[in-house]
Amino acid sequence: MENQLLNKLNKEQKKAVEIVEGPVMAVAGAGSGKTSVLTNRIAYLIQEAGVSPYNILAITFTNKAANEMKERVQKLIDLPMDNIWISTFHSMGAHFLRREIDSLDYDKNFQIVDDQDTLNIIKNLMKKHNYDLNTYSPTIISKLVGNLKAKLVSINHIDQPIRSMIEQLYPLYNAYLKDNNLVDFEDLLVLTLKILQDFSGILKRYQEKFQYILVDEFQDTNNLQYNIIYQLAKEHRNIFIVGDEDQSIYAFRGSNVGNIKKFAKDFPEHKKIILNQNYRSKDTILKAANSVIKNNKDRIPKDLFSNLGSGDKIIHYKANTDEEEAYYVYEQIRKLRRENTPLSEIVVLYRNNAMSRRFEDIFLKYNLPHKVVGNLSFYKRKEIKDIIAYLHLLINSGDDYSFSRVYNTPKRGVGNVSFANLVEYAEENHLKLFDCIGVNHSPLSGKAALEMTKFRDLITELKQGLETRTLLDTYDLLLDKSGYKEMLEKDDSTKDKTFQSERKLDNLEEFKTIILEKVSDYERDISNYDKLATLLNDLVLHVEAEDNEEHEAVSLMTFHSAKGLEFDIVFMTCLEQSLFPAIRNGFDAANNIDEERRLFYVGLTRARHQVYLTNCKTRFMYGRYMDNLDSQFIDEIDEDYLDKRGSNHVRKSSFERVHSSKNRPTVKYASYDTEEKQIKVSDKVNHKVFGRGMVVEVKGDLVKIAFSVPHGVKTLMKDHPSFKVED
């Protein structure tokens, strides 16, 4: 049996599998084969130790991981998995409650409501108790109710007047669920723990059933999950946890990295095993990761190592601007592609989703296949599509599609019936929707008529003022006077923030950058109306290009989304102080930096072969220039493992690009580490924009190329990817 289960495991992995009795803490570093340890341990308990499958409980965090664990265990022991509880926490809770919820005076045939059901219940309660749904967001109230139930937030941390509303609605919501035999997702754990704590007979029965408990990703457990596991394990104490403090990155979701230390206190007789042999990455990557994460205090020390070879140094490229940074990433990917690295094995990571936009633009410009993972691409996000619809109305108030998208966003009290009346009136009278507002015999009345008149006046006023103010000023006025910005600020105003990687407000700020950059490329003597119309047309073409996504593509994602994944090549971008580490309200500085450092560590350890770190001196983001210091995490990497390039060292050459807008300074771009084109006078070339031409002069890094009318002679960088030399 040992040949089948243990011969592929290293010494520490075998130890983790073979200790049958008592609590065990396996500290499993990134890429250390923890899934193999878990599955082999389950098989070992059954085959070698004679433990009944009925007495085993294995918990992980995703259905995908649970299914994978079942499949791998079944392959090892060739037994049906029906008697082993291998599931997520919530699935375990649902299974438990189907058997035991009647002890709380529920019927066992309860129905589980999802987030949308919860939102609808909250909305109805708010209406019943005369709360204005335009003033108070039902989505935020629903989220607060859930977090309060799961004890992820305290009622004392919610500001007034929201607190008073929650104090009234929270018990009403729970009573509604109970009266209708409903449970929500939080109840699956909350009610499970309540039964285990309040009914000793039931607790004893399940302690006897689950004599051997295994928990994956223990660093991601919250307090509620920990308490459930503790109740079940405290009698027989045969609990095996796998976790890594250094990969705890979900504090904003309620996970408590301190649960590992709590486990050590509650089970002081535990045996600790360090799994630090990595089977994913080259050793240089691991040494760099070790040199960073050691700066976190109060952690279980471990140094990852690998037998896969040392590998190349980590490349740190510092650009002058964010545009140069994105272009450098593109150039390196182009080079890797020529060297036969599959695009699917390359990932570009950033701290929050608003940072994806620059890379998306460059990749689209040069037709590099890519996909945004874990989120919509920048131009497909709801808030961006909404604000583009508003801008379309400034160009053409007769755009019924754009009107239909934003007439009631934010909420203006124009319900479905009122809008249907407006549409019917427009069709009968062959009018545009916008032109039906305020007419004689209007199809609207009351508040709907008043609010639509305000909406019409807003669009009209902004359109009439287009030429008297800058487009950026028009944009800011639109955000303010439409109420869109206020709507998002209300959604973001409670202390119960989820600390998501991107906020919609960030994306709307980043749209200012697009306005400034695009408009700076247009002719100065055209009207603001024409500039805005051209900008919107450009964005339509941009989205159309995105829709032609290829399967073989570079992945773009946040560091959080990359957890659990691995790639041959990892680009870690936008590594500047205040961007990464990001400072989050509600966290003390020390805990915040430790969490951010763990996130950086996770990014490093996603890579098998090569890591690129990139940042820039001057970043044009959120419509303004930012001069940030390098991320402190770069400085924490031992210099022996870094290859510094770009403005980190003296460059061989540079070129200047002067933007037409007086708001943008001359920007200097460093030369890139690309394959140099062999170009000589009289060579024929093909340019993506200017078409075919002939080289008439070569001077250093610059070439002059004669194109046909109307383009004429152009001076270009010799290594620029926009043209190719014809054979």
Side-chain angles (χ1 to χ4, degrees):
M1 193 67 210
E2 181 175 337
N3 288 337
Q4 182 182 356
L5 294 181
L6 305 180
N7 61 355
K8 293 183 179 180
L9 303 181
N10 64 41
K11 179 182 177 182
E12 296 305 305
Q13 289 175 328
K14 287 180 182 178
K15 187 187 299 184
V17 167
E18 292 177 312
I19 300 174
V20 173
E21 301 298 323
V24 179
M25 176 196 295
V27 181
S32 62
K34 67 180 179 63
T35 304
S36 293
V37 170
L38 281 165
T39 53
N40 277 276
R41 179 176 173 84
I42 294 172
Y44 188 89
L45 288 172
I46 296 169
Q47 293 279 16
E48 294 295 304
V51 174
S52 169
Y54 177 85
N55 295 131
I56 296 174
L57 170 66
I59 298 293
T60 187
F61 273 81
T62 67
N63 289 319
K64 180 181 177 182
N67 291 333
E68 180 186 355
M69 200 179 296
K70 289 177 184 177
E71 291 171 4
R72 291 175 67 166
V73 172
Q74 189 165 20
K75 286 180 181 178
L76 288 171
I77 60 176
D78 193 25
L79 287 176
M81 295 289 101
D82 297 344
N83 291 328
I84 307 179
W85 282 32
I86 300 179
S87 69
T88 64
F89 273 101
H90 285 88
S91 294
M92 179 201 72
H95 199 172
F96 175 85
L97 291 177
R98 289 292 176 202
R99 301 180 178 192
E100 310 298 342
I101 199 170
D102 57 340
S103 61
L104 297 177
D105 297 326
Y106 285 78
D107 190 283
K108 289 183 178 180
N109 295 318
F110 61 85
Q111 179 182 343
I112 301 172
V113 297
D114 61 18
D115 291 342
Q116 186 60 50
D117 295 324
T118 294
L119 178 59
N120 292 336
I121 295 169
I122 292 294
K123 279 184 180 179
N124 290 334
L125 288 172
M126 290 176 67
K127 290 176 183 177
K128 182 178 180 180
H129 294 276
N130 300 317
Y131 289 109
D132 185 353
L133 271 60
N134 293 320
T135 302
Y136 302 104
S137 165
T139 301
I140 293 297
I141 301 303
S142 175
K143 187 188 301 180
L144 281 169
V145 165
N147 287 348
L148 190 63
K149 180 179 288 190
K151 295 183 170 54
L152 299 180
V153 65
S154 165
I155 190 68
N156 295 326
H157 291 160
I158 302 174
D159 294 331
Q160 294 289 10
I162 303 294
R163 183 194 301 179
S164 296
M165 186 191 311
I166 298 294
E167 286 173 337
Q168 180 183 18
L169 295 181
Y170 182 67
L172 294 174
Y173 168 73
N174 286 326
Y176 180 90
L177 294 183
K178 181 84 177 284
D179 291 344
N180 291 277
N181 205 44
L182 305 173
V183 300
D184 59 24
F185 284 134
E186 285 74 25
D187 282 329
L188 295 177
L189 301 184
V190 170
L191 298 182
T192 294
L193 180 60
K194 180 174 178 58
I195 292 171
L196 293 176
Q197 290 177 331
D198 293 354
F199 298 89
S200 58
I202 295 175
L203 173 61
K204 184 173 181 59
R205 183 156 27 99
Y206 280 88
Q207 287 174 337
E208 285 301 311
K209 173 174 174 53
F210 298 131
Q211 296 183 29
Y212 294 86
I213 299 173
L214 303 89
V215 186
D216 190 15
E217 303 284 10
F218 198 77
Q219 77 280 351
D220 293 334
T221 56
N222 60 34
N223 293 340
L224 186 58
Q225 291 160 342
Y226 180 92
N227 288 333
I228 290 173
I229 292 300
Y230 175 73
Q231 290 295 325
L232 293 172
K234 64 182 181 181
E235 178 67 24
H236 289 280
R237 307 183 77 79
N238 298 321
I239 177 170
F240 178 89
I241 69 167
V242 180
D244 181 12
E245 292 169 306
D246 296 338
Q247 296 186 76
S248 178
I249 60 173
Y250 296 123
F252 65 94
R253 294 182 187 170
S255 66
N256 183 0
V257 66
N259 282 344
I260 291 180
K261 290 190 170 50
K262 191 174 182 182
F263 173 90
K265 181 179 179 182
D266 288 340
F267 299 92
E269 75 276 25
H270 74 277
K271 294 179 173 65
K272 181 169 64 180
I273 300 168
I274 306 293
L275 304 177
N276 59 348
Q277 181 173 351
N278 178 283
Y279 293 91
R280 175 190 302 153
S281 307
K282 298 291 187 181
D283 207 44
T284 296
I285 295 171
L286 300 178
K287 287 178 178 176
N290 291 334
S291 67
V292 172
I293 201 64
K294 71 181 182 182
N295 291 282
N296 271 8
K297 308 302 180 187
D298 199 26
R299 56 181 283 268
I300 298 171
K302 69 175 183 306
D303 282 331
L304 295 179
F305 71 93
S306 168
N307 293 328
L308 301 176
S310 60
D312 296 330
K313 288 186 176 183
I314 291 172
I315 295 171
H316 172 210
Y317 183 87
K318 184 170 184 177
N320 285 312
T321 69
D322 51 317
E323 186 177 7
E324 182 190 332
E325 177 191 21
Y327 185 73
Y328 172 79
V329 171
Y330 160 75
E331 281 288 350
Q332 300 314 302
I333 294 174
R334 193 167 69 106
K335 181 179 177 182
L336 290 162
R337 194 180 190 184
R338 289 198 303 267
E339 295 168 352
N340 297 319
T341 299
L343 292 182
S344 59
E345 288 297 340
I346 301 173
V347 67
V348 177
L349 302 179
Y350 34 80
R351 180 59 182 83
N352 71 59
N353 278 307
M355 297 173 182
S356 74
R357 201 271 307 173
R358 177 69 74 188
F359 299 100
E360 291 182 62
D361 283 354
I362 293 291
F363 292 174
L364 275 170
K365 182 176 181 180
Y366 297 116
N367 299 312
L368 180 69
H370 64 281
K371 58 184 178 181
V372 178
V373 179
N375 203 306
L376 292 172
S377 65
F378 185 84
Y379 296 98
K380 293 181 180 178
R381 294 167 195 166
K382 181 182 183 301
E383 61 277 11
I384 297 302
K385 293 176 75 173
D386 285 348
I387 214 64
I388 287 175
Y390 269 109
L391 293 173
H392 271 293
L393 288 176
L394 301 190
I395 297 301
N396 175 19
S397 59
D399 182 345
D400 284 351
Y401 174 80
S402 294
F403 182 96
S404 299
R405 182 176 183 92
V406 296
Y407 76 92
N408 202 34
T409 304
K411 298 291 185 184
R412 295 187 172 91
V414 184
N416 293 334
V417 174
S418 294
F419 184 67
N421 292 338
L422 190 69
V423 171
E424 182 180 0
Y425 183 90
E427 290 175 348
E428 290 176 350
N429 293 276
H430 307 290
L431 294 172
K432 293 295 185 179
L433 294 174
F434 189 86
D435 297 328
C436 296
I437 300 173
V439 297
N440 292 330
H441 310 294
S442 171
L444 301 175
S445 61
K447 183 178 181 181
L450 177 64
E451 291 300 322
M452 280 294 89
T453 300
K454 291 180 181 178
F455 177 75
R456 180 199 62 189
D457 293 345
L458 166 67
I459 299 299
T460 301
E461 189 274 328
L462 290 174
K463 185 173 183 177
Q464 291 174 344
L466 266 177
E467 305 306 327
T468 62
R469 59 176 74 97
T470 67
L471 286 183
L472 195 60
D473 287 341
T474 296
Y475 178 77
D476 282 333
L477 278 174
L478 173 59
L479 288 180
D480 288 335
K481 291 194 172 185
S482 68
Y484 203 98
K485 184 177 181 181
E486 182 183 7
M487 174 186 73
L488 295 183
E489 287 174 340
K490 281 184 179 179
D491 285 353
D492 196 45
S493 64
T494 70
K495 290 186 179 179
D496 172 52
K497 297 181 182 179
T498 57
F499 305 122
Q500 296 175 2
S501 299
E502 58 78 83
R503 294 204 316 262
K504 293 180 178 182
L505 286 166
D506 284 344
N507 291 333
L508 292 179
E509 285 294 302
E510 179 60 9
F511 196 82
K512 293 180 181 179
T513 307
I514 297 170
I515 294 174
L516 290 172
E517 289 183 336
K518 293 285 187 183
V519 170
S520 71
D521 291 332
Y522 303 152
E523 296 178 17
R524 289 188 178 185
D525 57 352
I526 67 173
S527 67
N528 280 343
Y529 178 94
D530 288 336
K531 288 177 181 177
L532 181 56
T534 304
L535 167 65
L536 295 174
N537 284 335
D538 288 347
L539 295 183
V540 170
L541 295 174
H542 199 297
V543 173
E544 285 181 354
E546 283 182 343
D547 290 336
N548 298 322
E549 185 180 283
E550 299 181 33
H551 177 70
E552 179 67 21
V554 176
S555 295
L556 292 88
M557 67 183 75
T558 64
F559 282 84
H560 281 97
S561 296
K563 178 73 160 56
L565 304 178
E566 55 186 56
F567 300 87
D568 285 349
I569 311 294
V570 172
F571 289 86
M572 299 170 60
T573 67
C574 307
L575 299 179
E576 292 141 39
Q577 209 68 6
S578 81
L579 296 181
F580 194 7
I583 305 303
R584 300 199 300 254
N585 294 329
F587 275 67
D588 65 79
N591 284 340
N592 179 71
I593 292 299
D594 282 359
E595 174 105 348
E596 293 287 295
R597 186 178 285 111
R598 292 193 291 268
L599 190 57
F600 187 88
Y601 173 85
V602 165
L604 280 173
T605 54
R606 297 311 93 197
R608 299 189 190 99
H609 303 312
Q610 181 69 67
V611 175
Y612 292 81
L613 311 177
T614 69
N615 59 356
C616 62
K617 289 182 177 179
T618 301
R619 185 170 299 280
F620 191 47
M621 192 172 182
Y622 306 144
R624 61 184 184 275
Y625 287 96
M626 305 184 329
D627 295 321
N628 297 320
L629 298 173
D630 289 357
S631 168
Q632 68 187 78
F633 303 143
I634 297 176
D635 294 334
E636 291 174 1
I637 297 176
D638 192 311
E639 287 197 359
D640 291 343
Y641 311 131
L642 282 178
D643 176 3
K644 295 187 176 182
R645 300 182 183 180
S647 60
N648 281 307
H649 71 288
V650 178
R651 295 181 297 280
K652 295 179 181 178
S653 60
S654 64
F655 70 93
E656 294 184 355
R657 177 181 298 168
V658 181
H659 293 267
S660 57
S661 173
K662 64 181 180 180
N663 295 322
R664 300 197 66 188
T666 297
V667 183
K668 294 185 177 182
Y669 294 84
S671 61
Y672 305 99
D673 300 318
T674 59
E675 194 172 83
E676 185 175 348
K677 290 176 182 168
Q678 300 301 315
I679 301 178
K680 61 183 183 298
V681 173
S682 79
D683 277 349
K684 293 179 181 179
V685 303
N686 199 321
H687 193 281
K688 290 181 179 179
V689 176
F690 306 133
R692 299 187 68 189
M694 179 180 289
V695 177
V696 295
E697 183 180 347
V698 179
K699 189 174 183 180
D701 289 336
L702 302 177
V703 292
K704 285 187 178 180
I705 303 174
F707 296 99
S708 58
V709 177
H711 304 299
V713 177
K714 301 287 184 182
T715 300
L716 302 172
M717 281 295 295
K718 185 166 60 176
D719 292 331
H720 202 278
S722 59
F723 72 92
K724 293 182 178 179
V725 179
E726 294 184 339
D727 295 331

